[in-house]
Amino acid sequence: MHFLSTAATLLALTSLGNALSSSLQQVTGFNSGPTAAGMYIYVPTNKVSPAPIILAIHYCTGTANAYFSSTLYAQYADTYGYIVIYPNSPSPGGCWDVSSTASLTHNGGGDSETIINMVQYAVEHYGGDSSRVFATGSSSGAMMTNVLAGAYPNVIKAGSVYSGVPDGCFYVAGATAGMQTPAWNSQCADGQLIETAQQWGDLTRSYYPGYTGSRPKMLIWHGTIDTTLYYENLAQTLLQWSNVLGISFTKNNTNTPQSGYTQMVYGDGTELIGYSALNVGHTVPVHETVDLAWFGITGSGGTTTSVPSSSPTSTALPTSSTAGGTIPKWGQW
Ligand SMILES: *[C@@H]1O[C@H](CO)[C@@H](O)[C@H](O)[C@H]1NC(C)=O
């Protein structure tokens, strides 16, 4: 608990008064690999059948338990009956492998395939719905969300990406699956890897050659003053998904879903939306209710989604200054 920020600690304390129906469990029976990522799961007592599955993927130095504690996906699972899988990174730095060819490629191995195998396990053992699988995560978990959406569009139906980089942006030539420490790519992190929409789209398509099925609908969140994964990564990620989804920018809606955020709508707003968070750094608060609507678990999932200003979902994640001991080089966050 000591590594959580004050805000996250307060949130955890607050949620004590709002007891969960169930608890986070490690799934010891899961050993499919191919990497040693741990599988943790939250199954609410009122699980619906079959139950939608949300993959909630932690940041660097994070853990399954930290992401469980610092977000409200489990609390909302009690209301809506879905399952949450919290994968736990096998790397010493707690980062995900989002840079090896193996992890980037469909059925290529790596942490991405391990996470997809967790989905399969949840379908077989926990009554999960294979047709309603969603991914979300922060920082390194955001990168992994993009990787999963790119390599496994047949599994992932929608994603919500908090402060990440484009799919394939962290590719590091020579990186191999199972490497001890996922490789860092400063050019990408600093927002200096600039490509065209076509180039980014081609990259994503190359990870699953020949695939012609549907692609995930994506929400992309980023803070304008992020100095870990620079703001340019929002624009580059939106270029990528707009190309993959075959849609283009339509309009901006200011102060949506809350003051200071700009909602960047692509197409008709049902497949791709960016959220630019003014003067927010690397820790963009997780907006669980917006995500749930986007996933189709609640509401319309379209551009009308809004968060009441009286109850901001300001779930805070540890910032690099409070987390302690993070080596910036590996701090994908
Ligand atoms: C839409 O909003 C983004 C984020 O504030 C901004 O960078 C972009 O210039 C805006 N586009 C238009 C056409 O207003």
Side-chain angles (χ1 to χ4, degrees):
M1 188 67 110
H2 65 278
F3 56 83
L4 291 178
S5 69
T6 304
T9 306
L10 285 173
L11 179 72
L13 291 174
T14 305
S15 62
L16 286 178
N18 209 343
L20 291 167
S21 73
S22 185
S23 58
L24 185 68
Q25 297 164 31
Q26 181 172 11
V27 182
T28 51
F30 174 77
N31 53 20
S32 321
T35 67
M39 177 177 181
Y40 289 73
I41 198 164
Y42 183 79
V43 183
T45 52
N46 71 338
K47 175 171 70 77
V48 297
S49 191
I53 298 171
I54 295 179
L55 291 161
I57 311 169
H58 67 73
Y59 40 86
C60 275
T61 76
T63 60
N65 188 55
Y67 212 53
F68 164 77
S69 302
S70 62
T71 60
L72 296 173
Y73 295 112
Q75 277 80 357
Y76 285 114
D78 277 353
T79 304
Y80 300 109
Y82 57 83
I83 291 168
V84 192
I85 296 173
Y86 300 89
N88 197 64
S89 167
S91 85
C95 299
W96 295 101
D97 173 6
V98 292
S99 58
S100 72
T101 300
S103 203
L104 289 165
T105 307
H106 181 76
N107 288 345
D111 285 337
S112 63
E113 189 171 331
T114 306
I115 292 172
I116 292 298
N117 285 338
M118 292 179 194
V119 170
Q120 185 58 34
Y121 193 93
V123 168
E124 289 169 5
H125 298 269
Y126 292 94
D129 185 347
S130 62
S131 69
R132 287 185 292 169
V133 180
F134 314 106
T136 187
S138 298
S139 196
S140 184
M143 298 181 194
M144 179 52 86
T145 298
N146 276 326
V147 167
L148 291 169
Y152 298 92
N154 55 321
V155 176
I156 306 296
K157 292 300 182 289
S160 185
V161 172
Y162 289 92
S163 313
V165 302
D167 178 27
C169 193
F170 254 52
Y171 172 71
V172 177
T176 54
M179 55 197 162
Q180 281 302 295
T181 310
W184 181 254
N185 181 327
S186 351
Q187 190 192 11
C188 172
D190 294 350
Q192 289 165 359
L193 192 53
I194 308 297
E195 300 200 7
T196 64
Q198 183 71 41
Q199 287 173 317
W200 281 123
D202 286 347
L203 191 61
T204 289
R205 283 181 291 271
S206 76
Y207 295 138
Y208 192 176
Y211 178 75
T212 55
S214 65
R215 297 279 176 172
K217 52 189 285 191
M218 302 296 290
L219 282 187
I220 313 297
W221 307 78
H222 218 105
T224 62
I225 57 169
D226 190 331
T227 53
T228 303
L229 302 174
Y230 280 75
Y231 181 56
E232 179 61 30
N233 280 298
L234 172 62
Q236 297 300 311
T237 306
L238 288 169
L239 283 176
Q240 181 169 53
W241 291 116
S242 65
N243 182 269
V244 169
L245 293 163
I247 52 181
S248 49
F249 175 76
T250 305
K251 62 174 178 180
N252 276 344
N253 293 318
T254 54
N255 296 317
T256 308
Q258 69 185 66
S259 176
Y261 282 56
T262 297
Q263 183 187 56
M264 304 159 74
V265 179
Y266 286 72
D268 65 3
T270 60
E271 292 178 281
L272 178 63
I273 286 178
Y275 283 111
S276 173
L278 183 65
N279 293 332
V280 173
H282 189 47
T283 305
V284 173
V286 172
H287 287 65
E288 294 88 348
T289 56
V290 178
D291 295 340
L292 293 176
W294 185 249
F295 298 159
I297 289 173
T298 63
S300 65
T303 55
T304 54
T305 305
S306 69
V307 178
S309 55
S310 57
S311 58
T313 54
S314 55
T315 304
L317 295 171
T319 61
S320 50
S321 60
T322 57
T326 309
I327 302 168
K329 186 178 179 186
W330 307 122
Q332 288 172 31
W333 280 95

